[in-house]
Amino acid sequence: MDKRQMSAALESLSEWLSDKERLGAAPAAIECAGEFDLDGLRYYIFKFRRALEGEWLIGISGGYKAGSLTNCGHIFSEMDPYVERTARESGVMMAQFIRDFMREKNSEERERRERVNRLFSGNCEYVSKTSLNVEEIAGQFIKSETRSHLTVGMVDIPSGKVVISDPLCYLAMGICCPVLKESIPAGSYPAEVAVVRNKDVGIRMCTARLKIKPDPAVYYAIAESVESNAVMLKGWVMSGFPVETGVMSFCDAEGAKEFKKFTDKWQSDNAEKNIVSDYFSGFFAESAARYPEHQNKNGDFIEWKNPDSGKRMVMISSGLGDGFYQCYWGYDEFGDICELVVPMIDSKLLE
């Protein structure tokens, strides 16, 4: 018997048993009771007790190649009593069970990764489009078993000019945060988000929408940027905005300058800290606690009021994360702007 390998196996089983879903603590006693080989891998049989005076139970730990101290994760116990005359047979059965289980699990994980890759690929095409279907966007804001939507905050736009950007990266730096050409009436507007749930990627924010008027949109057009603030590519003015921190935002043009001033001052006053993890994460955590059914545990949206200016803005997790997103003005039947939308995920891909 390879004593170093056996000791590693004992330690692995003790750790496995300590999980709160199993014993909740290390076994009171544990001893090696044998070993066997299966398909060229070494397994160790152990007997252990929950309490010092308790009955002996059986477990296995292994999947070791000769001389290796790293196993294949084949660690298991059904908490059955240890019976010496059938211990080897029971150990082999447990090893075969856990091997089959992990093989199936790995196959499922490969299939899940393939589905996620197809989702990302399909969604890249979706967010790259320069036209938007009215029915598709409206459908995202209809509640179903997998979809929900809610107003996540108010955005103050006293200048009538909207800035759309990644607030935790580019807005704080004062770059790649385009001011949109079209103006809207000065006022405060609700920001909404369509949410979808998917077994592979969890809860995701699909479409962010700033509602200017209650009337529905009958068509959409790309929201062009003021050239001086636009994202440029080889001298060409691009529509849309980049995301680097997995978050997008709606805010006022003057509010954008005030936001940068606030973040610069905060970082100067807190040189050893990170404004995302040490400041904004707290607001997202509060939001997650308030609306747990609509977002992930770390939070996916906030209304944030600048403590210096009093202006409100809204931040929302950006679909599948970092990337480049388009924004569109929605127009009502009279040709008036009624909303500003940012489509981030094609919900059909997740459903």
Side-chain angles (χ1 to χ4, degrees), residues 108-337:
E108 290 175 353
E109 178 59 22
R110 282 195 299 273
E111 292 175 1
R112 188 195 71 82
R113 286 199 299 267
E114 290 173 0
R115 290 196 301 270
V116 170
N117 288 337
R118 288 195 297 270
L119 167 61
F120 272 87
S121 177
N123 205 63
C124 283
E125 296 180 15
Y126 176 74
V127 297
S128 299
K129 295 192 304 184
T130 55
S131 62
L132 206 55
N133 183 282
V134 171
E135 288 74 23
E136 285 184 1
I137 296 300
Q140 291 201 13
F141 289 87
I142 296 175
K143 185 175 176 58
S144 72
E145 290 185 2
T146 57
R147 293 192 307 269
S148 61
H149 61 91
L150 73 162
T151 298
V152 298
M154 298 295 293
V155 183
D156 298 317
I157 313 288
S159 72
K161 286 290 189 180
V162 183
V163 170
I164 194 161
S165 64
D166 176 335
L168 305 180
C169 178
Y170 297 115
L171 193 63
M173 295 169 63
I175 61 172
C176 298
C177 45
V179 177
L180 302 184
K181 274 186 181 180
E182 292 276 6
S183 296
I184 59 175
S188 298
Y189 301 100
E192 304 171 340
V193 65
V195 181
V196 69
R197 292 165 181 78
N198 174 273
K199 66 178 181 179
D200 292 323
V201 295
I203 298 175
R204 295 287 173 161
M205 309 296 109
C206 275
T207 294
R209 179 165 73 177
L210 190 67
K211 254 333 236 180
I212 315 302
K213 294 174 63 179
D215 309 271
V218 296
Y219 71 95
Y220 291 102
I222 283 282
E224 296 181 352
S225 306
V226 175
E227 184 169 344
S228 59
N229 296 87
V231 179
M232 306 293 290
L233 180 63
K234 296 181 179 180
W236 179 55
V237 178
M238 297 180 66
S239 60
F241 62 99
V243 170
E244 187 69 25
T245 65
V247 180
M248 56 81 59
S249 67
F250 296 115
C251 75
D252 176 71
E254 291 303 316
K257 299 174 185 176
E258 294 161 352
F259 179 83
K260 184 179 187 308
K261 184 177 179 181
F262 170 83
T263 56
D264 285 348
K265 183 177 184 302
W266 190 95
Q267 201 62 72
S268 176
D269 294 343
N270 301 272
E272 301 302 316
K273 295 184 178 181
N274 180 287
I275 195 167
V276 177
S277 58
D278 295 316
Y279 179 75
F280 283 111
S281 63
F283 292 94
F284 280 97
E286 289 174 8
S287 175
R290 193 176 304 120
Y291 303 105
E293 69 276 20
H294 296 292
Q295 53 189 323
N296 294 289
K297 64 179 181 179
N298 293 325
D300 286 296
F301 48 76
I302 61 170
E303 174 193 277
W304 179 78
K305 180 186 286 187
N306 189 318
D308 297 328
S309 69
K311 288 190 181 73
R312 295 170 294 180
M313 62 185 292
V314 163
M315 304 182 193
I316 300 170
S317 291
S318 53
L320 294 176
D322 301 343
F324 198 91
Y325 295 90
Q326 294 292 342
C327 44
Y328 300 78
W329 292 114
Y331 295 86
D332 64 19
E333 60 179 332
F334 304 107
D336 296 327
I337 290 175

